[in-house]
Amino acid sequence: MNNKTSSGHAAAIHDIFTYLCDCALNRPPRPWRWQVRDHHRLHFLRRLAHDAGLIDPATAKPGPLAADWLRQPPAGQLAILAEAWINQSDTASRQECFDRLNSLPPDATITPANLTHRSSLARQRNLWLPLYWLGYLTASSASPASPLLKRAAIPDKPEVAAPWQIQGTTIIAPLPYHWPDLWELERLATLVDIGPPRCYTVNPLTI
């Protein structure tokens, strides 16, 4: 995203949305400039899309659950992804980490020791980094040795979408997005900038 950042719940949802569109439209995932340095995070999110059932394994395209997921508020979308992450492996440790996180107040300052009993920095990182990538945690320092983390506030209601702007054959969709509407636009227009804002070109007859 022109967040051109790799953290926050909006970034995680945005990148999974883009992946769902790529799969639906047989569009090869594009290596947007900002994504090159984020390949580990993107691989993690794309795998979650499959493990959460958003991609039909028989067709490799978004299944019925994807449409339901897009209609969820951010908290609901992340809950589905977090459940998939917990169930991938090491379920007990991941569930404990997630439960400890949810027991803390929003904006609480967190150290890895608050989230897990594990003493190894590498094992701690394997637990808190996915939650950071999903947007449950923010970090003023995400260094493996001494991360400074805070619990992020995740909206539990849909955000009011910003109106699109039409400039000739260009449609500009600024944040915040209404994902179901943007999903339909993806089918009708050509994505030219992942944004935000996301920019599309359309056939004049489409407008």
Side-chain angles (χ1 to χ4, degrees):
M1 297 174 76
N2 227 12
N3 98 29
K4 305 235 182 296
T5 138
S6 49
S7 64
H9 73 273
I13 294 168
H14 173 274
D15 291 337
I16 289 183
F17 170 82
T18 300
Y19 180 59
L20 292 176
C21 292
D22 289 343
C23 293
L25 300 172
N26 293 321
R27 186 172 65 193
R30 295 176 61 175
W32 303 96
R33 290 188 303 276
W34 64 269
Q35 289 184 331
V36 172
R37 66 180 182 273
D38 284 344
H39 63 280
H40 292 300
R41 184 184 69 91
L42 291 172
H43 176 76
F44 165 76
L45 292 174
R46 289 166 181 170
R47 180 183 173 188
L48 270 191
H50 289 267
D51 291 345
L54 305 184
I55 302 292
D56 185 337
T59 63
K61 292 183 178 295
L65 291 179
D68 293 336
W69 183 79
L70 290 172
R71 289 192 290 267
Q72 295 281 335
Q77 291 173 316
L78 289 193
I80 291 170
L81 299 175
E83 182 179 6
W85 170 69
I86 289 168
N87 290 330
Q88 281 175 345
S89 64
D90 197 13
T91 299
S93 294
R94 293 182 180 188
Q95 185 67 62
E96 178 196 26
C97 179
F98 192 64
D99 291 344
R100 288 190 181 193
L101 174 64
N102 286 329
S103 71
L104 299 171
D107 292 326
T109 299
I110 301 169
T111 67
N114 296 133
L115 299 177
T116 175
H117 63 276
R118 291 180 170 179
S119 58
S120 162
L121 292 179
R123 291 184 175 183
Q124 288 177 355
R125 184 176 173 83
N126 287 340
L127 290 173
W128 68 257
L129 187 60
L131 296 175
Y132 170 70
W133 281 340
L134 283 173
Y136 282 107
L137 294 169
T138 60
S140 56
S141 169
S143 68
S146 57
L148 300 176
L149 307 169
K150 284 192 174 182
R151 181 185 173 191
I154 310 297
D156 58 5
K157 295 181 180 178
E159 298 176 286
V160 177
W164 296 345
Q165 303 163 21
I166 300 178
Q167 301 175 1
T169 58
T170 299
I171 295 180
I172 301 172
L175 287 170
Y177 301 128
H178 183 261
W179 297 112
D181 287 348
L182 204 62
W183 177 260
E184 294 303 320
L185 180 60
E186 288 274 340
R187 299 171 181 273
L188 299 173
T190 300
L191 178 66
V192 294
D193 191 338
I194 200 170
R198 287 176 82 94
C199 296
Y200 302 83
T201 59
V202 294
N203 185 311
L205 297 178
T206 303
I207 300 178

